[in-house]
Amino acid sequence: MENNDIGGVQDKELAELYSDSQQWKSQLRLMADELLFIKRLLNSYVFEPNTPNLFERLQGYQDRLKQIHNQRIVVRGNITRHENDLGGILECTDRACSLEYYKKHEHLSNETADCLLDFQNLKSEIFNYAGGILKGRKPRK
C-alpha cells in the first residue's frame, strides 16, 4: 500500500480540516486585536521623550507592524479560499486529487504558523524595548 501521507494531514477528516481553518481564523482575529493595541501603544505619548533614536525606533516598529498586518490579511484570505474549496475533496475520485487538498492544507498550516511566529517575535521585541522606556508614573499621595 502506497503511503502519500504528508505529516499526518491526509488521515484527517473533512470536519477536522475545517476545524483547523476555524482555529487559524480565531488566532488571526486575536492577532488583529493585539496589532491594534500595539499600534495604539506606539502612537501614544507614554515614552520618555529623551530616549535616543526613539522616533526612528518607533517608526521602524510601525513599518514592521504594517507588514505583519498585510501578511495577516493575505493568510486570512487564503484560509477563506481554502475553506470554500474544501467541499471539493468530497468530489475527488482518486487519491491524487484528494492529496492535492491535503497538500494545500499543510501549506496553509505552515503559512499561518509562520505569520503567527513572525508576529510573536515582533511583539516580544516591541514589548522588551517599550518596557524599558515607558514613562514612570509618580505615585499619588
Side-chain angles (χ1 to χ4, degrees):
M1 182 166 126
E2 181 183 8
N3 185 5
N4 288 329
D5 187 74
I6 50 174
V9 173
Q10 193 170 350
D11 293 334
K12 290 186 173 186
E13 295 290 328
L14 182 60
E16 289 178 88
L17 299 179
Y18 184 75
S19 176
D20 287 349
S21 67
Q22 292 300 301
Q23 182 179 3
W24 299 333
K25 289 190 324 189
S26 176
Q27 291 169 322
L28 292 174
R29 275 191 299 274
L30 176 60
M31 181 180 163
D33 292 341
E34 291 177 325
L35 280 165
L36 182 59
F37 170 80
I38 293 170
K39 182 179 176 185
R40 287 178 178 165
L41 173 68
L42 294 178
N43 288 322
S44 70
Y45 296 100
V46 297
F47 295 102
E48 289 290 348
N50 59 349
T51 304
N53 301 320
L54 175 65
F55 175 78
E56 293 83 3
R57 190 76 172 256
L58 295 179
Q59 187 63 48
Y61 286 143
Q62 289 171 346
D63 291 344
R64 289 169 61 196
L65 283 171
K66 187 175 227 174
Q67 290 172 349
I68 293 281
H69 169 77
N70 291 338
Q71 181 183 6
R72 188 193 75 78
I73 290 172
V74 168
V75 171
R76 178 65 171 82
N78 291 343
I79 291 170
T80 298
R81 280 187 292 286
H82 179 64
E83 282 180 329
N84 292 339
D85 292 344
L86 278 177
I89 201 168
L90 298 174
E91 298 172 10
C92 287
T93 58
D94 64 5
R95 195 166 166 87
C97 173
S98 62
L99 184 60
E100 208 43 51
Y101 284 97
Y102 292 111
K103 284 181 181 178
K104 287 179 184 176
H105 189 82
E106 185 70 14
H107 176 76
L108 192 51
S109 175
N110 292 333
E111 185 180 15
T112 303
D114 289 346
C115 179
L116 293 168
L117 182 61
D118 290 347
F119 175 63
Q120 290 300 335
N121 290 335
L122 178 58
K123 182 171 68 168
S124 179
E125 186 180 332
I126 290 171
F127 286 174
N128 285 333
Y129 177 73
I133 62 167
L134 291 175
K135 289 182 184 177
R137 299 248 184 225
K138 294 181 180 149
R140 294 185 179 188
K141 293 184 180 182

